[in-house]
Amino acid sequence: MIEKLFQTWRTLAARERRLVGMAAGIVLVAVAYLLLLEPAWNGRRELQIELPALRSQLAQMTALTAEAKRLGAARRGADSPQAMRSALEASVQGAGLSGSLTQLDLSGELFDLHFGSVPHAAWLTWLDTTVRETQLRVVDLAVTREPVHGLVSVRVVMEFPRREGR
C-alpha cells in the first residue's frame, strides 16, 4: 500500500506535489489544533469559570472547620455540671440577661433557669447560642407573655450533655 502511494507521488508533477504537500500540512495543523490545542483551551476557560465557585466553597469549608474546632473546644471546657453552671452564669451575664435571671438551680444533670420580664429576642438569641456552644439539651420550656410588649417570663430546663465513656 505504501509502495502504491510512492508510485502515485512520483507520477505527480512538481506543482501538484507542492499543492498536495501544502494540503497535507494544512490537514496536519488542523488535526494538531483539534486534538491538542482546542481541548486545552476549552479546559482552561472552564476552569476560569469554576475557580471562583471552588474558592468560595473552600472558604465556607474553612469557616465550618474553624467553627467545629471552636465548638469542640467549648464542649470540652465543661466536664462537670458545676463547671457548666458557671459557664451558664457567665453566658447569661455576657448576654446582658443577669438582671432578668431569677433562678438557676442544678439538680443532678438538669439545670432549671427562670427568667422574669426578659426581652424575648435577647433571650431567644441567648438560648440559641448557649445550646449550640454547650450542647445542652432543652428538656422543658415554658414561655409566658408579659403585659409589656416584647417581654416574656421564661422557665427552661436543660440537660447536661452525655459524654462518651460515661
Side-chain angles (χ1 to χ4, degrees):
M1 176 157 175
I2 294 177
E3 188 63 34
K4 189 175 183 182
L5 283 175
F6 280 131
Q7 285 177 357
T8 308
W9 180 259
R10 285 186 211 122
T11 61
L12 295 176
R15 181 176 178 198
E16 291 174 336
R17 285 183 188 171
R18 215 175 316 123
L19 288 174
V20 169
M22 287 193 309
I26 291 172
V27 168
L28 284 176
V29 168
V31 168
Y33 174 78
L34 291 173
L35 293 178
L36 301 175
L37 295 177
E38 185 182 28
W41 187 266
N42 289 338
R44 181 182 165 124
R45 190 173 21 163
E46 289 172 6
L47 286 176
Q48 286 177 340
I49 292 170
E50 292 176 6
L51 193 58
L54 292 174
R55 285 184 177 151
S56 173
Q57 290 175 355
L58 176 64
Q60 287 176 338
M61 290 187 332
T62 303
L64 289 173
T65 302
E67 183 178 1
K69 286 179 183 178
R70 183 181 57 80
L71 291 175
R75 276 188 240 128
R76 286 190 295 271
D79 289 333
S80 69
Q82 291 75 21
M84 183 64 75
R85 178 186 174 126
S86 299
L88 274 175
E89 290 171 345
S91 72
V92 167
Q93 187 173 8
L97 302 177
S98 58
S100 301
L101 183 65
T102 58
Q103 179 180 342
L104 172 57
D105 291 332
L106 171 64
S107 76
E109 293 189 345
L110 295 177
F111 298 93
D112 190 5
L113 293 95
H114 294 259
F115 293 89
S117 297
V118 63
H120 183 263
W123 175 82
L124 202 54
T125 302
W126 170 83
L127 180 66
D128 177 52
T129 304
T130 301
V131 168
R132 273 191 292 110
E133 290 180 357
T134 63
Q135 298 299 308
L136 287 170
R137 187 172 67 94
V138 176
V139 180
D140 188 27
L141 175 66
V143 179
T144 307
R145 182 177 56 175
E146 293 287 323
V148 179
H149 180 70
L151 296 181
V152 292
S153 293
V154 179
R155 177 181 174 268
V156 61
V157 178
M158 303 170 93
E159 182 178 36
F160 189 72
R162 300 278 181 222
R163 303 285 188 214
E164 294 83 24
R166 285 184 95 190

